[in-house]
Amino acid sequence: MVEQKNDFTEWYLQTVQKAELMSYSPVRGSMIFRPDGFEIWEHIQEEFNKYLRSEDIRNAYFPMLIPKHFFMKEADHIEGFAPELPWVTEVGDEKLEEPLALRPTSETMIGAAFSDWINSYRDLPYEINQWANVFRWEKKTLPFLRTSEFLWQEGHTAHIDEEDARRRTLNVLDEYTRLCEEFLAIPVYKGEKTPSERFAGAVDTYSIEAMMQDGKAVQAGTSHYMGTKFAEAFDITYLNKENKHVHAHTTSWGVSTRLIGSLIMTHGDEHGLVLPPTVAAHQVVLMPVGPWKKNPAIMEKLDEIYAELKKLGIRVRLDDSDNSPGYKFNEWELKGACVRIECGPRDLENGHAMLKVRDLADKEKVAFDDLIATIQTHLAEMTPRLLATAKARNKENEHFHINTLDELKAHIETCKKEDKPTGFVLIGWDGTDETEAKIKEETGFTTRNIPFDVPMEKATDLITGEPAKHTLWIARAY
Amino acid sequence: MVEQKNDFTEWYLQTVQKAELMSYSPVRGSMIFRPDGFEIWEHIQEEFNKYLRSEDIRNAYFPMLIPKHFFMKEADHIEGFAPELPWVTEVGDEKLEEPLALRPTSETMIGAAFSDWINSYRDLPYEINQWANVFRWEKKTLPFLRTSEFLWQEGHTAHIDEEDARRRTLNVLDEYTRLCEEFLAIPVYKGEKTPSERFAGAVDTYSIEAMMQDGKAVQAGTSHYMGTKFAEAFDITYLNKENKHVHAHTTSWGVSTRLIGSLIMTHGDEHGLVLPPTVAAHQVVLMPVGPWKKNPAIMEKLDEIYAELKKLGIRVRLDDSDNSPGYKFNEWELKGACVRIECGPRDLENGHAMLKVRDLADKEKVAFDDLIATIQTHLAEMTPRLLATAKARNKENEHFHINTLDELKAHIETCKKEDKPTGFVLIGWDGTDETEAKIKEETGFTTRNIPFDVPMEKATDLITGEPAKHTLWIARAY
């Protein structure tokens, strides 16, 4: 397998396949989520559903096919999505009267439904979520991170006024941050997107951006305040307390199976996947070692441990295959099993097992009596430790003292020479699309977001040297 | 609202909309699953996932778009599905080289993947499930029961031999039966489909058939034994213990959001939805009555009960709207709330609340001290009671003594005159497609299945009078 430090992208491509998270499919740019990959998504769904329930936001399901005339109602929206839309034009051997788009997102379909369902201020806020497959025909694709079909959740809400809509927009962004950091151990940068990077049709787009180990960014989640733009296009009005028909303010927000890609690029190492126990399909793997077949007491002991862990709801596997210990170690490290327990004849005799945590260097000897508790402790400690590790690495790859295009180019050169990630660069920006375009053209860096907590105010625009209107993060991105 | 007894289908159409289970969508034949409707599906998913986990069948996700040449590989399969397939032919404004079908089912896509993943007998059985949206462009549509897009689970498994594959096929059918009867309180008829009703490409198809209150059938779930037909078409082979490459035996099986329609048609009454507490979005609804606003102690008491029920994981609502009690009663009965608790000033004074169970005639007075326990008992008893009620009704609508086409026509006439359901009719069948076609043409009855437990052997074919090869159920069907 190619080494991570030599070719990060190739390492990623090989790892997601060899670890059986995905397979390619015969349709260009789409992929199969194999059970170990899909299970990560199921855990994310379960966790985010808790937030939805606590906020009384209910799940629904809307049709996937969107009639063309629907899409045309919000001009910016169709303009943004048109080039990537797959169209159903025939059924059986008959041509349809109107082509139907495969949804890239559901603002239009849900907007039309909201228009029917919302009548009075008493109906607001009206808050809905959908877990669904969506389609965007991307030119360049990468498993999990950019595929023609992907899975996501899309929340859609309508509110009485701007204040309440903005409250939800930012509240969700906080929850996405919590989900990434506390649940997935992925540190993120929270901020506002520049106008050119806004969702097609949004007034304001906010994002969380994650930094991969190679210093590149992944936009890990977005939350949009739509103002009344979609309400106007789809006639979402309500009768207010003064008995007047007024437009609702809407929001939408989503995270997708991109999170799985981010997870792997954030934590993986030369041995393969490193996964926080929160989402790992294999939290614990037990394996007999040495001449265990001659010594049935070893398997009896492991069966006992297996049953205890299972009873505690821990996702445990028992590898009693004929493969060699070395083969098994490699395989389960590749697959990101969080804790490995080995037991051979001498271990059994001495009343202990050997325990290895995926992201810690050393094995430890643990007495059988302490084994379950020790495993539980490790599972509890691993996620916050992975977060701390990732945060520390991010710190090294944040760059604050680049003030001109030449300095940025010099930084890129140095990184190339020293084989270091170019990372996130904080710059001053005059607020124009032109300077953004120039940065991208000259360096491949794109604007990530304007951070909520600006670590350091930048006085001048990177390109023009004129006074900066905003301070923002730029980076190369997936 | 139209009465159930006057026009069952119209009652159904009005009920699913007024109870806010669904809305129509602008795409012909597709529908929106509103939160109360979608939540039923979520509970079914949760329940069936327990079975999958206990059998170590894992969830995965496969691409929705299927290339045309893929579909052509199994001849019966494409022939069966061709007329209903929607095709993606363009992306943006570019024509695709090969049209892509929206999956009506995933045997082809999953078959190709199995071919890659399965190598040795050690890999078998290989068992996968997928929760997904699927498309079949139906001419006549009905919410939940027959829509262009619907949601389902499809299990796909590959086995070492026919015996193991047939074991899974029938084991799943048993689980579907348990799911319908114990979880959804829908009694079902388990049996084998006739050849003309087999899944396109299957060797044998088994089904569970449910009888609606109007006597019509709904095919509620199917399980198919494919033999080696798909294995041959998609090259699913494995190295057996004798080191020879042989074809695997495959199965597939599914239940869909049709179950929601069946649920409503099985239990609903003139007041609206009747739902078993297992899947009801609203298990308990609390409402203050009388001049409760002047008496804040009433809402305090209800808040206390609400908190207790919530803590127990019971899905409880508190209706403190300004609507009249009569309006509230109607609304929550329409929505199928299982238990209603009313509390007014006199109730509070006397230390009790009034309790009404959706499917029982009388209200009861329950002391506050006993309230939580009484609610729990009612929630536990309601599902088996609904099943018993439905079973008793089915019994009345099973007909065993119809032996000729004339007798069947006379039965239909009598039912029409007496305004009774035609129900399920047990007949003798000579095993030919011709007699099946004749029955359908003359009466609109279709063959449901050949029951596993034949209640009574029928000696002669309904049409020809010749000796019968099988005894089977026929009925009108949705």
Side-chain angles (χ1 to χ4, degrees):
Chain A
M1 200 156 105
V2 67
E3 285 184 56
Q4 187 184 53
K5 64 172 192 285
N6 289 336
D7 187 339
F8 191 78
T9 306
E10 187 55 32
W11 165 87
Y12 174 76
L13 288 173
Q14 292 189 8
T15 300
V16 293
Q17 287 179 82
K18 291 197 173 164
E20 299 184 354
L21 296 186
M22 60 77 63
S23 286
Y24 285 107
S25 102
V27 178
R28 199 195 62 81
S30 76
M31 55 168 272
I32 299 166
F33 293 77
R34 299 188 67 173
D36 277 6
F38 190 72
E39 184 170 332
I40 294 172
W41 187 238
E42 287 182 298
H43 294 303
I44 292 171
Q45 289 186 297
E46 213 177 310
E47 183 69 12
F48 192 67
N49 271 334
K50 286 184 204 161
Y51 166 76
L52 296 173
R53 273 194 297 272
S54 74
E55 295 283 313
D56 215 9
I57 300 171
R58 297 186 69 196
N59 287 323
Y61 185 77
F62 293 81
M64 194 200 66
L65 296 171
I66 302 179
K68 189 168 185 176
H69 77 275
F70 247 65
F71 236 99
M72 309 309 283
K73 287 190 182 178
E74 213 296 317
D76 293 336
H77 193 61
I78 183 69
E79 195 192 317
F81 283 108
E84 309 176 345
L85 290 183
W87 293 100
V88 172
T89 59
E90 293 169 24
V91 171
D93 49 13
E94 281 180 40
K95 218 172 160 62
L96 290 176
E97 279 177 36
E98 182 184 18
L100 304 168
L102 272 54
R103 67 178 156 223
T105 181
S106 302
E107 276 75 11
T108 57
M109 186 58 83
I110 295 180
F114 275 11
S115 167
D116 279 349
W117 299 341
I118 294 168
N119 297 302
S120 145
Y121 69 91
R122 286 190 201 86
D123 299 327
L124 300 178
Y126 202 100
E127 305 190 292
I128 289 278
N129 180 68
Q130 159 168 282
W131 295 96
N133 54 343
V134 281
F135 294 81
R136 297 179 189 178
W137 225 255
E138 304 279 359
K139 293 251 185 309
K140 274 180 74 177
T141 64
L142 197 61
F144 297 112
L145 287 172
R146 199 172 289 276
T147 50
S148 306
E149 178 183 11
F150 58 95
L151 305 176
W152 79 346
Q153 64 65 221
E154 48 180 321
H156 296 268
T157 68
H159 302 262
I160 209 155
D161 58 17
E162 174 168 352
E163 188 188 342
D164 200 52
R166 287 193 178 274
R167 181 196 53 75
R168 173 58 71 204
T169 310
L170 296 179
N171 181 269
V172 167
L173 202 71
D174 285 343
E175 170 58 18
Y176 286 163
T177 304
R178 194 202 65 77
L179 181 74
C180 282
E181 301 199 331
E182 292 177 25
F183 194 68
L184 301 174
I186 303 172
V188 294
Y189 299 76
K190 214 166 22 167
E192 187 180 342
K193 284 283 186 188
T194 60
S196 74
E197 296 279 331
R198 263 179 215 145
F199 177 81
V203 170
D204 284 315
T205 287
Y206 303 92
S207 76
I208 49 170
E209 306 279 334
M211 194 199 297
M212 304 298 99
Q213 287 183 71
D214 63 349
K216 286 172 81 173
V218 168
Q219 180 178 293
T222 50
S223 186
H224 317 288
Y225 168 61
M226 305 295 193
T228 56
K229 287 171 78 173
F230 280 89
E232 282 162 33
F234 288 91
D235 195 28
I236 310 171
T237 60
Y238 68 94
L239 210 57
N240 68 12
K241 286 186 183 170
E242 290 75 43
N243 233 22
K244 276 187 193 145
H245 283 283
V246 293
H247 285 111
H249 291 248
T250 67
T251 82
S252 76
W253 26 274
V255 291
S256 75
T257 39
R258 297 201 96 189
L259 288 178
I260 301 172
S262 312
L263 195 64
I264 293 150
M265 285 193 172
T266 299
H267 304 302
D269 66 16
E270 297 295 2
H271 301 286
L273 302 182
V274 177
L275 297 172
T278 45
V279 293
H282 318 293
Q283 292 177 322
V284 179
V285 58
L286 309 177
M287 55 181 76
V289 293
W292 57 277
K293 288 203 172 169
K294 290 184 203 146
N295 197 337
I298 292 176
M299 277 302 291
E300 279 165 29
K301 189 69 197 170
L302 289 178
D303 281 338
E304 189 189 297
I305 297 166
Y306 181 92
E308 276 186 77
L309 291 171
K310 195 96 182 173
K311 212 162 70 188
L312 290 165
I314 291 170
R315 299 188 285 276
V316 55
R317 316 290 159 199
L318 180 59
D319 186 349
D320 58 355
S321 65
D322 290 334
N323 299 320
S324 72
Y327 182 96
K328 290 185 188 181
F329 294 173
N330 286 343
E331 191 185 3
W332 291 105
E333 286 189 344
L334 172 63
K335 290 187 168 184
C338 304
V339 174
R340 182 176 84 217
I341 303 293
E342 305 159 29
C343 184
R346 225 168 312 165
D347 300 313
L348 187 69
E349 214 174 290
N350 296 322
H352 65 235
M354 296 307 294
L355 180 153
K356 169 79 175 69
V357 180
R358 180 64 178 84
D359 68 318
L360 295 180
D362 300 319
K363 283 193 193 181
E364 54 180 303
K365 207 174 275 182
V366 183
F368 288 129
D369 286 348
D370 302 333
L371 193 58
I372 303 295
T374 307
I375 290 171
Q376 287 181 298
T377 304
H378 279 303
L379 292 178
E381 287 175 354
M382 188 172 170
T383 308
R385 185 176 57 243
L386 288 178
L387 177 63
T389 304
K391 274 194 171 162
R393 189 179 47 237
N394 282 8
K395 280 269 167 276
E396 285 171 27
N397 293 319
E398 292 168 1
H399 302 282
F400 299 102
H401 299 287
I402 294 168
N403 294 314
T404 66
L405 183 59
D406 284 342
E407 284 171 18
L408 179 57
K409 286 181 175 173
H411 167 69
I412 294 169
E413 268 315 300
T414 310
C415 290
K416 202 174 170 182
K417 245 184 256 161
E418 299 179 3
D419 206 13
K420 280 184 181 164
T422 49
F424 279 31
V425 174
L426 194 75
I427 65 159
W429 175 52
D430 65 3
T432 67
D433 293 354
E434 289 72 24
T435 59
E436 265 187 294
K438 179 87 175 166
I439 295 169
K440 188 170 178 182
E441 193 191 304
E442 296 271 334
T443 66
F445 274 57
T446 52
T447 55
R448 305 321 308 160
N449 64 27
I450 302 165
F452 286 171
D453 299 314
V454 180
M456 176 186 183
E457 290 288 348
K458 309 290 291 211
T460 57
D461 182 88
L462 183 88
I463 300 290
T464 63
E466 296 293 310
K469 278 202 181 142
H470 298 285
T471 297
L472 52 69
W473 287 116
I474 61 170
R476 287 184 174 144
Y478 282 103
Chain B
M1 201 157 104
V2 67
E3 286 184 57
Q4 188 184 52
K5 64 172 193 287
N6 290 337
D7 187 341
F8 190 78
T9 307
E10 188 55 33
W11 165 87
Y12 173 75
L13 288 173
Q14 292 188 8
T15 300
V16 293
Q17 287 178 82
K18 290 196 174 165
E20 299 185 354
L21 297 185
M22 60 78 62
S23 286
Y24 285 108
S25 102
V27 178
R28 200 196 60 82
S30 76
M31 53 169 273
I32 299 166
F33 293 77
R34 298 188 68 172
D36 277 6
F38 190 72
E39 184 169 334
I40 294 173
W41 187 237
E42 288 182 299
H43 294 303
I44 292 172
Q45 290 187 298
E46 212 176 312
E47 183 69 12
F48 192 67
N49 271 334
K50 286 183 203 162
Y51 166 76
L52 296 174
R53 273 194 298 269
S54 75
E55 295 284 313
D56 214 12
I57 301 169
R58 297 185 69 196
N59 287 324
Y61 185 76
F62 292 81
M64 194 201 66
L65 295 172
I66 302 180
K68 189 167 185 178
H69 77 275
F70 248 66
F71 236 99
M72 309 308 282
K73 288 191 183 179
E74 213 296 316
D76 293 338
H77 193 63
I78 182 70
E79 195 190 318
F81 283 108
E84 310 176 344
L85 291 183
W87 294 99
V88 172
T89 59
E90 291 169 25
V91 171
D93 49 12
E94 283 180 38
K95 218 171 160 62
L96 290 176
E97 280 178 35
E98 182 185 19
L100 303 169
L102 273 54
R103 68 178 155 223
T105 180
S106 302
E107 277 74 11
T108 56
M109 186 57 84
I110 296 180
F114 275 12
S115 167
D116 280 349
W117 298 342
I118 294 168
N119 296 303
S120 146
Y121 69 91
R122 286 190 200 87
D123 299 327
L124 299 178
Y126 202 101
E127 305 191 291
I128 289 278
N129 180 67
Q130 159 168 283
W131 295 96
N133 54 343
V134 282
F135 294 80
R136 298 179 190 177
W137 225 254
E138 304 279 359
K139 293 252 185 306
K140 274 181 71 177
T141 64
L142 197 60
F144 297 112
L145 288 173
R146 199 172 288 275
T147 49
S148 306
E149 179 183 11
F150 59 95
L151 304 177
W152 79 347
Q153 63 66 220
E154 47 179 322
H156 296 268
T157 68
H159 303 262
I160 208 155
D161 57 18
E162 174 168 351
E163 189 189 341
D164 200 53
R166 286 193 180 274
R167 181 195 53 74
R168 173 59 70 204
T169 310
L170 295 178
N171 180 269
V172 167
L173 202 71
D174 285 343
E175 169 59 18
Y176 286 163
T177 304
R178 194 201 66 76
L179 180 75
C180 282
E181 300 197 334
E182 292 175 26
F183 194 68
L184 301 173
I186 303 173
V188 294
Y189 298 76
K190 210 165 28 166
E192 187 179 342
K193 283 285 188 186
T194 61
S196 74
E197 295 279 333
R198 263 180 215 144
F199 177 81
V203 169
D204 284 316
T205 288
Y206 303 92
S207 77
I208 48 170
E209 306 278 334
M211 194 199 296
M212 304 297 98
Q213 287 183 72
D214 62 350
K216 286 172 81 172
V218 168
Q219 179 178 295
T222 50
S223 187
H224 317 289
Y225 168 62
M226 305 296 193
T228 56
K229 288 171 76 174
F230 280 89
E232 283 162 35
F234 288 92
D235 195 29
I236 310 172
T237 61
Y238 67 94
L239 211 56
N240 68 13
K241 285 186 184 171
E242 290 74 43
N243 233 24
K244 277 187 191 143
H245 282 282
V246 293
H247 284 111
H249 291 249
T250 68
T251 83
S252 76
W253 25 274
V255 291
S256 75
T257 39
R258 298 201 95 187
L259 288 177
I260 301 172
S262 312
L263 195 65
I264 293 149
M265 286 194 172
T266 299
H267 304 300
D269 67 15
E270 297 294 3
H271 302 285
L273 302 181
V274 177
L275 297 172
T278 46
V279 293
H282 318 291
Q283 293 177 320
V284 179
V285 58
L286 310 176
M287 54 181 76
V289 293
W292 56 277
K293 288 204 172 167
K294 290 183 205 148
N295 197 337
I298 293 177
M299 276 303 290
E300 280 164 28
K301 188 70 196 167
L302 289 178
D303 283 337
E304 189 189 297
I305 298 166
Y306 180 91
E308 277 186 77
L309 291 171
K310 193 97 183 173
K311 213 163 69 186
L312 290 166
I314 291 170
R315 298 188 285 275
V316 56
R317 318 286 160 204
L318 180 59
D319 186 348
D320 58 357
S321 66
D322 290 335
N323 299 321
S324 73
Y327 182 97
K328 290 185 190 182
F329 295 172
N330 287 343
E331 191 185 3
W332 290 105
E333 287 189 344
L334 172 63
K335 291 189 168 184
C338 306
V339 174
R340 182 176 84 219
I341 304 292
E342 305 159 28
C343 185
R346 223 167 315 164
D347 300 314
L348 188 69
E349 213 172 291
N350 296 322
H352 64 235
M354 297 306 294
L355 179 153
K356 169 80 175 68
V357 180
R358 180 65 178 84
D359 67 320
L360 295 179
D362 300 319
K363 282 193 194 183
E364 53 180 302
K365 206 175 276 180
V366 183
F368 288 130
D369 286 347
D370 302 331
L371 193 59
I372 303 293
T374 307
I375 290 170
Q376 287 181 298
T377 304
H378 279 302
L379 293 178
E381 287 175 354
M382 187 173 170
T383 309
R385 184 175 58 243
L386 289 178
L387 176 64
T389 305
K391 273 194 173 164
R393 188 179 48 236
N394 282 8
K395 280 270 167 277
E396 285 171 29
N397 293 320
E398 293 168 1
H399 303 283
F400 299 102
H401 300 288
I402 294 167
N403 295 312
T404 65
L405 183 58
D406 284 343
E407 285 173 18
L408 179 56
K409 286 182 175 172
H411 167 69
I412 294 168
E413 268 315 298
T414 311
C415 290
K416 201 173 171 184
K417 246 183 257 164
E418 298 179 4
D419 206 13
K420 280 184 183 165
T422 50
F424 278 32
V425 175
L426 194 76
I427 65 159
W429 175 52
D430 64 5
T432 67
D433 293 354
E434 288 72 26
T435 60
E436 265 186 294
K438 180 86 174 166
I439 295 168
K440 188 170 179 183
E441 193 190 304
E442 297 270 336
T443 66
F445 275 56
T446 51
T447 55
R448 303 322 306 159
N449 64 27
I450 302 165
F452 288 170
D453 299 314
V454 181
M456 177 185 181
E457 290 288 347
K458 307 291 292 213
T460 57
D461 182 89
L462 183 88
I463 300 291
T464 63
E466 297 293 311
K469 278 202 181 142
H470 299 283
T471 297
L472 51 70
W473 287 116
I474 60 171
R476 286 185 175 143
Y478 282 103

